[in-house]
Amino acid sequence: METKKIFGERLRELRNSLSISQMQLANALGMTQNSIGMMERGHRGTTIEKVVLLAKYFHVSADYLLGITDDPTWRGTEE
């Protein structure tokens, strides 16, 4: 699966899990509603800085957002 698509799906799922709108998320992070929508649809990527902001906002790892792992709390170590 394409990275932008995975990222968008996970972003949408996380946003919906908190029952917040695209506009609320955009306002909280200093982004536009249009950019959130485009990311969720997989039509737009984002910067490393925004991936970090989103990961911190949702309390998940950047690796989870990017589809590197399916564990939202993954920290890069395997046991």
Side-chain angles (χ1 to χ4, degrees):
M1 190 180 272
E2 184 183 326
T3 302
K4 283 188 214 175
K5 185 175 179 184
I6 294 170
F7 177 78
E9 289 174 358
R10 292 194 174 174
L11 177 56
R12 183 181 311 108
E13 289 169 5
L14 289 165
R15 182 180 58 77
N16 287 335
S17 74
L18 296 180
S19 300
I20 60 172
S21 68
Q22 289 179 348
M23 181 61 82
Q24 289 170 310
L25 179 59
N27 288 339
L29 299 177
M31 300 170 73
T32 66
Q33 179 180 358
N34 187 49
S35 65
I36 298 293
M38 289 181 72
M39 284 188 286
E40 286 186 359
R41 290 188 300 279
H43 296 170
R44 176 181 177 171
T46 191
T47 65
I48 293 170
E49 292 81 8
K50 292 210 172 104
V51 170
V52 171
L53 278 175
L54 288 163
K56 287 181 177 181
Y57 183 85
F58 290 113
H59 304 286
V60 297
S61 71
D63 289 338
Y64 174 74
L65 282 172
L66 298 171
I68 295 168
T69 182
D70 291 330
D71 180 358
T73 61
W74 188 68
R75 299 286 183 236
T77 59
E78 297 291 328
E79 294 183 49

